[in-house]
Structure formats: structure tokens, C-alpha cells
Amino acid sequence: MIPKPNIRPAWFVLLLLMAFILVFSLAKTSESNLDVRFKPDQDNPPKIAYTKVKNAKENENCFKCHGQSKYHYENAESKKIVTKRMYSEVIIKREDFYISNHREFKCTDCHSEDYNTFPHPGNLRMEAKANCIDCHGGDEKYAKFEFEKIDTAFMESVHSQKHSEDFTCWMCHNPHTYKINARTTENLKETITYDNLICLNCHGDITRYQLLTDKQRPNLINKHDWLPNQASHFTNVRCIECHARNEDTLIVAHHIVPKNLAVRKCESCHAKNSILYASLYKYQVQENIQKKGLLKGLILSETATIGPDQNNNLNLISFIIIGLTLFVITIHAFLRLQKNS
Amino acid sequence: MDNNTERLYLYPAWIRIWHMTNALFCLILIITGLSIQFSNPTLVVKFKTAVALHNIAGILLTCSYIVFFVGNLFTKNGAYYVIELKGFVLRLMTQFRYYTFGIFRNEHPPFPVTSEVKFNPLQQFSYVVLMYLLVPLSILSGFGLLYPNITVNSVMGASGLDLTDLLHLCAGFLITVFMCIHVYFCTIGKTPTSNFKSMIDGYHDSH
């Protein structure tokens, strides 16, 4: 008789599956709650007590015109208050400047004192803009940021090679709003988003893209259609991971390579010797080890690998098991043939 | 017909169709899975094609698994997968001994196929592990990789995607090992091809 089908394995699996879905949804719910904390709130930026920041009082003389899209002045002849629109390129938002790294600077630390007069003298339009290296180069205080190495890498990059002096540090790092990121946040995703937005600022905006070229802006989605799980790659990997030459010593690679040299091989990242172990990820792992200890920081680290694919040890074990299986099958088949003959 | 041969109709049409589709999709998944794992342009299947085929075959295998799962819940076929735990280890050992020694000494199989007991203890054990553990695991982890946004970001500090990937690899690998052994053991029938014919006409030839 067929045993009574009271407790079929399928029912167990069904029960386990339901339990799994329950646990999974609970885990996802708590995770999405967590995510909310880290989401940068674009609409409600943190309120900064501007007046408490060093030099804020002097800087307000500039911000009262350059801090928003309109400014007012009194016409000396008609004595009327005139309202004019400010050019978008020279608008500096207070909320961005006062959380930037240069927030304690006076505007006239970098710009001419002559800007204190209004209307500004015409010759100030010729004023040279300072680049990062002009202030940070050769300074012991900033040695850890390795500005000289960054400058060398940038000079070799396709940005600098193709556009020469038109492409300055400013194209990616506006000194009025620049905020150090990778070193101050533990949230890797935030750093990735921040870094990728720098690229998208031009490569995702035709107006800015055509500042330096007459070419049509390429469609980034179509250009990357070969990439599996495109959305996930875009949100979890920095553009420079594939488009720049990664160096172990620099957290942010600045040597952007021509598009034909960009990484397209999966195993470049999905392997133990992944390029992702260089730069940012390496830095994060080191930081994790220092802060959380070896076990939590490295072995249980979220940032260690993208996938354990191509794990050499796993490969070896699997080859041995398959090899042994085929070996035993061959011996068994051989003995059966011997017996039959 | 041989007098010693008893023909048993053991495999109804739905089982045969399910088994064939299951075998086909598993084969496609193993080949394309290897192509993805060792993403090397010189392999037979190109990476992009391998990914597309793997995804499609994975979804179709899921459909085929649902047919098997529901079929085994509500037809008598499910009863063959119910393991009688009492004395099971001993029965496993008996069957193992037969395959390693008895078969070469012309001993009779300790658990001959009947309409009541379709699988010997080793078959029963391996099929239950395969169909109720490894295949569901590979399907679930496969969907977790296909839609990485549904995967839990971290499990006790480790990356959820890493663990899902590891589970998928291990389950897929063990299914591959099973396939090798399964195909070989199918040659142990009345003749080396009789078990393969059974899966076409539904009749099992006892010997």
C-alpha cells in the first residue's frame, strides 16, 4: 500500500516558505525604516545658524545679492529701488556654503577686495580663479589628502587632456559648496550617490555638458544597456570605479580614462582581486577594522565584497567534488562492464 | 516480452512532461550558470546571451516547479516522497551497500520497484533533498539576485546579496552534482537505456 499521504514534504516546504516570507517582510520593513534616517533631505536642508559661522557678517555683504536669484539696489539718478536677476552661475546658496568645507572663509580671501565696491569694477571679470592645488599644494597640513597626486592623476585624465585648461577642478568641485564626503560618512551609499551626482552634473545635463563640447549628450541608460542589473549598479557603484584608473593610495580616483578603456569585464569587480578593493572600499574596510575590530569590520563587513563569485577556494572545492563524483562514476561503470562481460 | 519482465505504468503523462521540462531547464541553467560564473568571452555561450537565457530558464523552471509542487500536494505521486523515518538510516545503508558491493555480485536489488514504492531509499532521500530543499533554495535565491532590490541589505552584519549569491551558487552546484549521479544511475536498469525509455512511455521494466 502507498503510505498515507498525511505529512508530505511539500507541506513542510509551504510552511517554511510562509515563515520565510514573514521574516523577510519584517526584515525589509525594519530596513526601510532605517533607510529613512540616511536619506538626504533635499527639500528641507538642515538649518544652519549662519551668523555664528566665522566671517559670516562680512560675507553677508556679498550674499545679500549673490545668495538668491534676485538682487536690489538704489539707482543713483532716479533714487528708485531697482530689482535685477542674478546670473545663475554666480548665485551661491547660503545653506550650501555654510555646510561646505570653506564655510569659514571670507569671500575676499579668494576674490579681490575690489568686489567690496558696487557696481563691481569691470576688470574684475578677468580675475583668475584659484584651483585646489593653488592653496592646498605643498602644505603639510593637507598632506594626507594628497593633492599633488590628485593633480597628477587629473592632468593625465581624459577631462584634462581633451579640454585642456577649460576643464578645471571647479567643473566637479565648486569651492563654494564642496564638502568632504568619503572621510566623514560611514554610509557608503551616501558617498556613492554624492560622487555619482558630480559626474551626472554634466553628463546628465545637456546645458552643462555642452559648456565644453558641441557633441550631443550621450544617453547614459542606452550606453550602459549591456550592464546587467543596471539600476542596481548605478546606485551601488561609483562611475569612477569603471571609468577611472583606480589607485590604492587615492580614495577618489581622478585619472578618468577614455570610454574605450572603461571596465567592461564582470570579473574585474566580481572577483576576490576586485578593483573595488582599491580606493574607497579599501579605505572603508580599513576604517571598519579600526573602528569595529577585525571580526565585525572585515569578516562581517558590508563593504568587503560585491559577490563571492570567483572565490578561488570555493572554485577549488567544487572542482574537487565534481572530479571525485565523475571518478567514482567511471570506476563504478567500469566495474559493471567488467562484470557483464 | 521477456517472462521475467514486469511492466509497471509508474509515470503518468504529467510527471513525464514535468520531468522532461525540468531536466531541460536544469541543463540550460547549469550551462548558462557556468558561463555567467566564469564570465569569459571565449566560452560557448556569450555572457549577455547566457544572462538572458539563465533568467528565462529560471522563470520557466519556477513555473515547472509549481506544477510539481501542486501535483505532489494533491495527487498520489506526493506519497512517494514521504519518508518513513523509522529504520530509514538502515534502509539507506542497505541500498548503499547494494550499489557498492551487491550490484557486482548479481544480488537482487533490496528495494525493487513496485507500484507502491517507486523509489529506493537513496532515491527517496536524494529526491526529497533536491526537490524540497535545493531547488526551492535556488529559485528563491535566484529571484533575490534577479531583483536585488528585494534582497535584504544585510543579515547579521554580512551583505544580504553576498549570502544570497553564495546560497545560489551552492544550491546550483549541488544540483549539478545530483544531475551527474542521477543520469549515471539511470543506466542501472534492465538495460542501460530502459530507464530513459520509461520517461518517454511511462512504463517501468522491472528486472
Side-chain angles (χ1 to χ4, degrees):
Chain A
M1 274 296 289
I2 298 172
K4 237 182 157 187
N6 286 338
I7 317 164
R8 296 181 180 193
W11 289 115
F12 279 120
V13 177
L14 209 59
L15 267 174
L16 277 176
L17 190 69
M18 284 165 70
F20 172 79
I21 292 170
L22 188 74
V23 172
F24 176 80
S25 6
L26 286 175
K28 276 305 263 190
T29 319
S30 61
E31 195 175 85
S32 55
N33 287 343
L34 267 180
D35 277 351
V36 173
R37 284 198 322 211
F38 296 119
K39 270 183 193 152
D41 194 347
Q42 300 290 355
D43 299 328
N44 300 303
K47 296 230 178 331
I48 306 286
Y50 305 137
T51 46
K52 286 185 183 163
V53 181
K54 195 176 158 191
N55 294 320
K57 210 173 165 190
E58 289 99 310
N59 287 347
E60 196 49 37
N61 287 332
C62 303
F63 275 121
K64 69 182 178 193
C65 292
H66 287 276
Q68 58 285 309
S69 52
K70 284 179 198 154
Y71 65 100
H72 316 278
Y73 65 91
E74 193 187 74
N75 185 309
E77 286 177 17
S78 64
K79 303 288 175 201
K80 279 186 178 170
I81 300 291
V82 181
T83 301
K84 290 272 185 183
R85 266 189 276 174
M86 181 61 74
Y87 294 113
S88 59
E89 289 85 3
V90 290
I91 298 174
I92 312 295
K93 288 186 178 166
R94 291 175 183 83
E95 59 266 35
D96 291 337
F97 178 75
Y98 285 117
I99 56 167
S100 80
N101 275 48
H102 298 139
R103 61 184 174 275
E104 292 192 344
F105 278 55
K106 262 193 296 187
C107 301
T108 48
D109 284 344
C110 303
H111 297 287
S112 166
E113 293 273 351
D114 292 346
Y115 275 111
N116 283 326
T117 56
F118 182 85
H120 301 320
N123 63 335
L124 288 180
R125 285 170 184 267
M126 305 299 146
E127 184 190 67
K129 285 178 178 175
N131 279 327
C132 306
I133 197 84
D134 296 333
C135 300
H136 296 291
D139 190 335
E140 275 302 305
K141 197 177 163 193
Y142 298 103
K144 66 172 178 176
F145 296 103
E146 304 188 277
F147 279 98
E148 288 79 9
K149 271 190 185 173
I150 290 175
D151 193 51
T152 312
F154 167 67
M155 287 301 180
E156 289 166 359
S157 77
V158 69
H159 282 149
S160 177
Q161 296 281 322
K162 259 196 169 178
H163 305 295
S164 177
E165 285 176 1
D166 291 338
F167 202 108
T168 62
C169 307
W170 281 55
M171 296 302 283
C172 305
H173 311 294
N174 187 330
H176 300 110
T177 53
Y178 178 72
K179 196 174 94 178
I180 201 165
N181 198 279
R183 290 172 193 266
T184 51
T185 175
E186 284 183 15
N187 188 341
L188 203 57
K189 277 210 166 183
E190 234 173 44
T191 306
I192 291 164
T193 310
Y194 178 88
D195 273 14
N196 286 353
L197 281 176
I198 291 177
C199 304
L200 288 174
N201 209 11
C202 292
H203 289 271
D205 178 349
I206 185 74
T207 319
R208 279 189 60 83
Y209 186 75
Q210 290 192 334
L211 284 177
L212 290 178
T213 178
D214 293 329
K215 281 194 291 186
Q216 278 298 311
R217 183 176 62 84
N219 184 323
L220 297 185
I221 307 288
N222 290 350
K223 281 273 173 193
H224 292 85
D225 67 347
W226 61 275
L227 186 67
N229 287 324
Q230 198 189 66
S232 188
H233 275 108
F234 281 0
T235 48
N236 292 296
V237 183
R238 295 180 303 176
C239 308
I240 54 169
E241 242 59 80
C242 302
H243 289 279
R245 186 169 295 163
N246 281 281
E247 286 163 48
D248 269 7
T249 48
L250 282 184
I251 297 181
V252 181
H254 279 72
H255 185 166
I256 314 293
V257 294
K259 59 176 181 276
N260 59 322
L261 295 181
V263 172
R264 285 183 80 118
K265 280 179 89 178
C266 307
E267 64 261 38
S268 303
C269 300
H270 294 267
K272 274 289 166 195
N273 290 325
S274 165
I275 54 167
L276 298 182
Y277 277 94
S279 67
L280 177 66
Y281 296 84
K282 194 171 178 177
Y283 173 78
Q284 287 269 348
V285 169
Q286 281 168 350
E287 286 286 290
N288 276 351
I289 294 170
Q290 275 181 9
K291 284 181 190 161
K292 300 174 187 171
L294 192 65
L295 180 72
K296 274 197 155 180
L298 182 65
I299 299 163
L300 301 176
S301 160
E302 274 183 59
T303 57
T305 50
I306 289 298
D309 322 40
Q310 295 298 317
N311 178 319
N312 287 336
N313 292 335
L314 264 186
N315 276 352
L316 185 69
I317 293 168
S318 60
F319 288 141
I320 292 173
I321 295 175
I322 278 279
L324 277 177
T325 308
L326 296 177
F327 178 72
V328 170
I329 286 175
T330 314
I331 297 286
H332 200 270
F334 177 74
L335 291 175
R336 271 172 65 208
L337 282 172
Q338 286 280 83
K339 184 205 78 175
N340 290 342
S341 62
Chain B
M1 195 188 286
D2 193 323
N3 285 340
N4 296 329
T5 304
E6 191 193 341
R7 299 205 89 201
L8 286 171
Y9 186 67
L10 276 187
Y11 314 107
W14 79 268
I15 296 267
R16 280 177 281 148
I17 294 169
W18 162 75
H19 186 266
M20 274 181 229
T21 49
N22 196 47
L24 177 73
F25 295 140
C26 277
L27 212 60
I28 296 174
L29 285 164
I30 289 170
I31 294 167
T32 52
L34 283 170
S35 301
I36 296 167
Q37 168 75 353
F38 299 98
S39 64
N40 188 326
T42 53
L43 276 179
V44 190
V45 190
K46 275 188 183 169
F47 184 78
K48 202 174 171 182
T49 322
V51 172
L53 271 175
H54 198 80
N55 292 345
I56 296 165
I59 292 165
L60 290 175
L61 180 94
T62 309
C63 300
S64 142
Y65 182 76
I66 292 169
V67 170
F68 167 85
F69 193 83
V70 175
N72 267 9
L73 271 181
F74 299 109
T75 71
K76 71 170 190 176
N77 193 61
Y80 295 122
Y81 293 83
V82 181
I83 293 176
E84 175 63 54
L85 285 176
K86 202 178 166 194
F88 187 67
V89 177
L90 197 68
R91 291 201 299 282
L92 269 181
M93 297 305 288
T94 311
Q95 184 64 35
F96 184 76
R97 198 204 139 275
Y98 169 72
Y99 279 141
T100 45
F101 298 105
I103 194 167
F104 305 116
R105 295 175 186 162
N106 288 328
E107 285 177 14
H108 287 289
F111 304 97
V113 176
T114 64
S115 58
E116 288 83 29
V117 185
K118 194 164 74 167
F119 306 137
N120 70 47
L122 266 180
Q123 279 179 309
Q124 202 186 28
F125 175 72
S126 55
Y127 297 169
V128 166
V129 170
L130 179 83
M131 294 313 297
Y132 294 112
L133 182 70
L134 296 180
V135 173
L137 205 62
S138 65
I139 289 175
L140 285 177
S141 56
F143 276 94
L145 294 173
L146 186 61
Y147 301 103
N149 290 338
I150 63 167
T151 308
V152 182
N153 278 349
S154 75
V155 181
M156 293 164 66
S159 157
L161 211 54
D162 269 8
L163 282 181
T164 315
D165 195 14
L166 193 63
L167 275 179
H168 195 69
L169 280 181
C170 292
F173 172 73
L174 292 174
I175 292 171
T176 312
V177 174
F178 168 84
M179 285 278 272
C180 296
I181 301 171
H182 185 59
V183 171
Y184 172 67
F185 268 56
C186 288
T187 65
I188 307 177
K190 185 169 176 283
T191 67
T193 54
S194 59
N195 280 341
F196 295 102
K197 283 179 191 154
S198 307
M199 270 300 146
I200 296 170
D201 62 18
Y203 285 94
H204 177 84
D205 290 331
S206 295
H207 63 110

